[in-house]
Amino acid sequence: MLDYDKEAERYDASRGGEPRAAAAAQAVLGFLPDGTRRLLDVACGTGIVTRRLAAGRDGLCVTGVDLAPAMARQAAARMPGAVVLADSRRLPFREGRFDAVSSVWLLHLVPTAEDVRTIVGECARMLRPGGVYVTTVDKAAAHNVGSDIDAVMASRPQRPARDTAALVESFALAHGLVPAGQARFTGHGQGRSPRRTVADLRRGWFVTVPPGGALADGFAHRLAQLPDQDRARPDPVFSLRAFRKPG
């Protein structure tokens, strides 16, 4: 898995930058009920989406939380006084403090299904009655756009997806939340080229293909044979699910 403290400086540039952040924030904001005043953005990363959430709705006070110190520092530079360093499995706020909670590109990183259950439970605990939880789901599936790169990488070892829509919904229901809608948005600037995919392999992006090993070298060799080495293939399209806390 990537070291997000080491990734912090280049994270935004390598993930589509402001256009991708704008698309994500707009999709999340679309689920917030009128009168939403306090939003918690869990795993806010560098704050590039969090800042747009705060700017996207008049009167909205947004708090970001992240576990990686270097990412949290980047976020705090964008949103001074509004970022907390904490584990999403143990959120350091009182129950019912927020009108809405978001977690964008978090659940797919979690090592176990039980951790996902815990995080969803913590997000539910943060909500006041009537509040809304919005999260991305099925992230790995979104990156498979049917390209020649996907065909090369299809034989890599797979790990069970922890953020499938069905699994996340089951955990949300177990914590008293009810489905409140779904949406999709484009991950602008995240379409991979063969050369970029080789670089991602060498940085440990593909968690089941350790960099520097024979398996990674084999995939890199096959990717290097593809045409149009610097042409980005189609952008992924990500999925959001929203859940409401009755009351």
Side-chain angles (χ1 to χ4, degrees):
M1 183 178 291
L2 292 176
D3 183 328
Y4 284 89
D5 280 318
K6 292 182 179 178
E7 285 285 304
E9 290 294 331
R10 66 184 305 275
Y11 186 85
D12 293 338
S14 67
R15 302 299 194 286
E18 294 291 351
R20 185 186 78 141
Q26 182 178 14
V28 171
L29 288 166
F31 285 111
L32 303 189
D34 292 341
T36 300
R37 292 292 176 263
R38 297 181 304 276
L39 167 68
L40 176 65
D41 190 28
V42 179
C44 67
T46 65
I48 192 170
V49 175
T50 318
R51 178 177 63 183
R52 286 184 171 273
L53 291 170
R57 180 79 66 90
D58 289 342
L60 183 62
C61 177
V62 180
T63 302
V65 59
D66 203 272
L67 180 61
M71 299 289 267
R73 284 195 296 272
Q74 294 269 354
R78 286 185 161 117
M79 300 182 62
V83 177
V84 176
L85 186 67
D87 191 323
S88 57
R89 295 168 296 186
R90 295 182 296 277
L91 292 170
F93 308 102
R94 65 171 172 79
E95 182 174 344
R97 177 175 173 180
F98 296 94
D99 302 310
V101 177
S102 58
S103 61
V104 179
W105 300 306
L106 166 63
L107 300 182
H108 69 287
L109 297 172
V110 177
T112 70
E114 188 57 36
D115 286 325
V116 176
R117 180 193 293 271
T118 299
I119 291 168
V120 172
E122 280 291 274
C123 291
R125 186 175 68 84
M126 294 295 100
L127 288 174
R128 63 160 176 81
V132 175
Y133 172 47
V134 185
T135 186
T136 45
V137 296
D138 295 316
K139 184 173 186 292
H143 280 285
N144 188 340
V145 297
S147 71
D148 51 353
I149 295 172
D150 295 321
V152 168
M153 298 302 299
S155 62
R156 72 184 185 277
Q158 302 288 333
R159 70 170 189 173
R162 309 297 187 195
D163 69 333
T164 65
L167 188 63
V168 173
E169 181 172 325
S170 73
F171 293 154
L173 291 170
H175 287 290
L177 304 180
V178 296
Q182 54 188 278
R184 305 178 79 203
F185 64 93
T186 301
H188 298 292
Q190 283 208 287
R192 287 199 182 97
S193 68
R195 201 182 311 277
R196 174 178 168 181
T197 307
V198 171
D200 286 342
L201 270 169
R202 291 172 176 160
R203 292 190 302 114
W205 172 275
F206 297 93
V207 296
T208 61
V209 186
L215 186 60
D217 289 345
F219 282 121
H221 176 75
R222 291 169 62 191
L223 290 165
Q225 308 310 306
L226 294 178
D228 303 317
Q229 281 286 300
D230 294 308
R231 177 176 62 82
R233 277 42 172 184
D235 288 325
V237 177
F238 297 112
S239 296
L240 281 176
R241 292 292 187 276
F243 303 93
R244 182 176 56 84
K245 189 171 191 175

